[in-house]
Amino acid sequence: MSDKDVLISMGFDAARVDWALRATNNRGLQPAMDHILEHNDDPIPDPSAQASAPAPAQPQGEPMDEDDDDTAALRAAYGGAGASGASATAGDLEAKSIKCAECGKTFRNTAMANFHAEKSGHDQFEESTEEIKPLTEDEKKQKLAELREKMAEKRAKKAIEEAKDAKANEQIRRKSGKDAVQAKEDLKMKQLTKEAEAKRREKVEEAKARAAIKEQIEADKRERAAKAAREKALRDGTPLPGQSAGPSSAPAAAAPAPAVAGREFKETRLQIRLASGGQPYTTTLSSDATLREVAEFVAGQTLAVDVETVTFAQHFPRKQFSKADFSKTLRDLGLTPSAVLIAS
């Protein structure tokens, strides 16, 4: 049954129904009913002055929105399914309505009864001679107001549910953001801890290196002092420190001992300091290595030193090495077993 038939069955004037359908461009039953109620006291304009548009056919299988349930109820209540309603009364002329045997409600036609059965789950119906009077204008307005109120309640309920969903989604988004920030902070803290531990180990290693260098320097000082004392004792013909005086031939016999002892060292520990300052370089070379090899070692450690132009000096005992010394071994230069050189 069309929207026009439903509205006419509700008791509205056919001309006013045509006017409402034209004015709402046949958008449906609800807009047309709203137009009729709003312009109930207005005169009906001349139809020839307005272009009429055919009512659009309802697409087959198109889903109905949740808010259209009440419109469907109006359609069933005032239009019904014409064929079904006719079949309900064709067999018995006195049957004016259909009654639910379970709740006692009466319905105008089979469509309304089916709608009630779907909503309530009732399945016991019987024909009734009770005639359902058409709704008055006040009853129509009241029914329409009830339907509108029900639609508004559904929309409000839907809005509340959407707001809850939005709030839950926002909480999930915020929690994800907090988790990401926390993970980032944890990663940063681990990185800082790792860097601090590396710096601590570096300081410990530097302290150990400084202590080793200091100890090496002290050992070199003691060694040089002992060497100088031996050489002085040999020159003066006095007993070596820690030895008692012996026959006059003892110093002569002991004279070659330092040279022999010096040649017994197979390796020489060197500490090379730059005249321009900076961290000293330490290495251990063969006692047979030449001074040029020492220059090559230092040049490999820093670009500030060139093998061809670098010179070496020794503070204690004070000595300046020339280019001719570059071909001599560390043993020949008296740098064994350890020495400190100044490179410039």
Side-chain angles (χ1 to χ4, degrees), residues 155-204:
R155 291 192 183 100
K157 183 178 179 181
K158 185 177 181 180
I160 293 174
E161 292 177 353
E162 290 178 352
K164 289 181 179 179
D165 293 341
K167 185 177 180 181
N169 293 334
E170 180 65 16
Q171 290 177 348
I172 293 174
R173 186 188 67 79
R174 290 183 178 180
K175 186 176 185 301
S176 300
K178 289 181 179 179
D179 293 343
V181 172
Q182 185 63 39
K184 187 176 181 180
E185 291 295 332
D186 293 343
L187 182 61
K188 184 178 180 180
M189 184 61 65
K190 290 180 180 179
Q191 186 66 24
L192 292 176
T193 303
K194 185 177 180 180
E195 292 177 358
E197 181 65 21
K199 289 182 179 180
R200 187 189 67 81
R201 288 196 301 267
E202 184 179 352
K203 288 182 178 180
V204 171

Side-chain angles (χ1 to χ4, degrees), residues 233-286:
L234 291 175
R235 287 195 303 270
D236 297 341
T238 58
L240 296 176
Q243 294 183 358
S244 59
S248 58
S249 60
V260 175
R263 295 180 181 275
E264 290 178 356
F265 295 100
K266 295 181 180 181
E267 294 182 343
T268 301
R269 297 188 302 273
L270 295 177
Q271 182 183 100
I272 300 97
R273 300 179 181 177
L274 300 180
S276 58
Q279 183 178 359
Y281 301 98
T282 59
T283 183
T284 300
L285 299 174
S286 171

Side-chain angles (χ1 to χ4, degrees), residues 22-140:
R22 289 195 304 272
T24 58
N25 293 324
N26 293 285
R27 290 198 305 270
L29 181 62
Q30 187 66 46
M33 185 183 296
D34 292 341
H35 184 276
I36 293 174
L37 296 177
E38 291 175 1
H39 302 279
N40 189 41
D41 298 329
D42 297 341
I44 300 175
D46 186 6
S48 61
Q50 300 179 357
S52 60
Q58 179 71 20
Q60 294 296 328
E62 182 177 352
M64 183 178 294
D65 296 337
E66 181 181 357
D67 290 342
D68 292 341
D69 290 345
D70 298 316
T71 303
L74 280 175
R75 201 179 281 275
Y78 295 102
S84 299
S87 62
T89 59
D92 188 359
L93 297 178
E94 295 183 358
K96 301 296 182 66
S97 60
I98 298 176
K99 184 178 182 180
C100 177
E102 297 184 36
C103 64
K105 291 184 179 180
T106 56
F107 305 96
R108 186 183 303 274
N109 51 39
T110 305
M112 294 180 62
N114 291 336
F115 184 79
H116 173 72
E118 293 176 0
K119 292 292 185 180
S120 63
H122 298 167
D123 58 0
Q124 301 296 326
F125 294 90
E126 59 185 14
E127 294 180 344
S128 173
T129 59
E130 181 180 352
E131 182 178 2
I132 300 178
K133 297 180 180 181
L135 297 177
T136 63
E137 291 296 329
D138 293 338
E139 289 174 341
K140 292 176 183 178

Side-chain angles (χ1 to χ4, degrees), residues 282-297:
T282 59
T283 183
T284 300
L285 299 174
S286 171
S287 297
D288 295 326
T290 62
L291 189 60
R292 183 179 181 81
E293 294 182 40
V294 178
E296 291 175 351
F297 164 76

